[in-house]
Amino acid sequence: MSSHWIAQLEGYRGWKLRLAIVLVAVLLAELIVSGMGWLLKGEVSYDYLLTGLVAASLVAPVTLTMLTRLLDELAINRQHVLQTHARAEFNLSLAIDAAQMVLWELDFVTGQIRVDRSRLPWLGLAADTPVSNLQHWLALLHPDDRATFEAQMRLARRSMAGDFRLEYRIAHAQGGWSWV
């Protein structure tokens, strides 16, 4: 079931959900029975419509129960996924803090870099150091590491894997160089 329909169904609660399910079940039963009557007799008669209504009255509660349980299970699963995701985010954050890692992401199309600026001091950089694009980052690199860095970037871009692993030096705020 598409996520759009699930979101729509989750919007209905209580009597609205029950009414919608009953109406759909009655309508479907009437359509099926009317179609059968038209195929078998060439007409739709009152007794076929009445039969459809009785059949829908029997089917609707079962359908209602099944769909209610399905929606409840979906809500529980969604809650579980959200909790698992929150726990994983928290654990990742703890690991990053403990290792004093700085994660950055480069948008190859725009050349923009996304980084948590509060972690820049871990690299020996001031929190207000300009690092919003690749040119800013390249300006921080040690001159001997710049060519290797750019070659690795081209390789990562060509491979589309996005995997970039390289040890290089960047300018430290107090002078000197820091290995990253």
Side-chain angles (χ1 to χ4, degrees):
M1 192 179 303
S2 79
S3 59
H4 172 72
W5 287 107
I6 291 172
Q8 286 290 90
L9 282 175
E10 285 179 341
Y12 289 100
R13 291 282 180 229
W15 68 270
K16 288 181 183 179
L17 176 63
R18 295 179 194 286
L19 179 65
I21 292 172
V22 168
L23 288 175
V24 167
V26 168
L27 230 131
L28 284 175
E30 286 296 328
L31 284 172
I32 292 168
V33 171
S34 297
M36 294 290 291
W38 186 76
L39 285 173
L40 294 173
K41 290 186 174 180
E43 66 177 346
V44 178
S45 64
Y46 173 75
D47 26 330
Y48 274 95
L49 290 175
L50 184 61
T51 304
L53 190 59
V54 170
S57 299
L58 296 173
V59 170
V62 174
T63 306
L64 181 63
T65 302
M66 287 174 27
L67 283 176
T68 302
R69 285 185 182 169
L70 175 66
L71 286 175
D72 289 344
E73 189 174 321
L74 283 173
I76 290 168
N77 286 342
R78 181 178 183 194
Q79 199 61 24
H80 175 71
V81 166
L82 290 174
Q83 288 171 350
T84 301
H85 178 74
R87 208 169 32 252
E89 288 268 331
F90 178 74
N91 289 341
L92 177 61
S93 179
L94 282 178
I96 289 170
D97 287 347
Q100 291 192 340
M101 294 174 63
V102 178
L103 302 178
W104 55 278
E105 181 180 358
L106 170 65
D107 183 333
F108 283 119
V109 176
T110 65
Q112 296 297 303
I113 291 179
R114 284 183 285 286
V115 64
D116 182 354
R117 301 186 73 69
S118 68
R119 296 174 191 253
L120 289 179
W122 290 350
L123 298 175
L125 302 172
D128 61 349
T129 303
V131 290
S132 61
N133 62 45
L134 188 55
Q135 299 315 319
H136 290 150
W137 195 257
L138 288 172
L140 296 170
L141 289 174
H142 188 281
D144 294 343
D145 297 334
R146 194 167 292 139
T148 306
F149 182 92
E150 289 175 329
Q152 283 294 106
M153 272 300 203
R154 282 191 299 276
L155 182 63
R157 190 174 194 171
R158 262 188 268 129
S159 73
M160 296 305 287
D163 191 29
F164 181 85
R165 295 177 190 269
L166 179 68
E167 288 186 33
Y168 55 94
R169 293 164 286 183
I170 60 171
H172 197 279
Q174 282 81 34
W177 301 95
S178 295
W179 281 96
V180 295

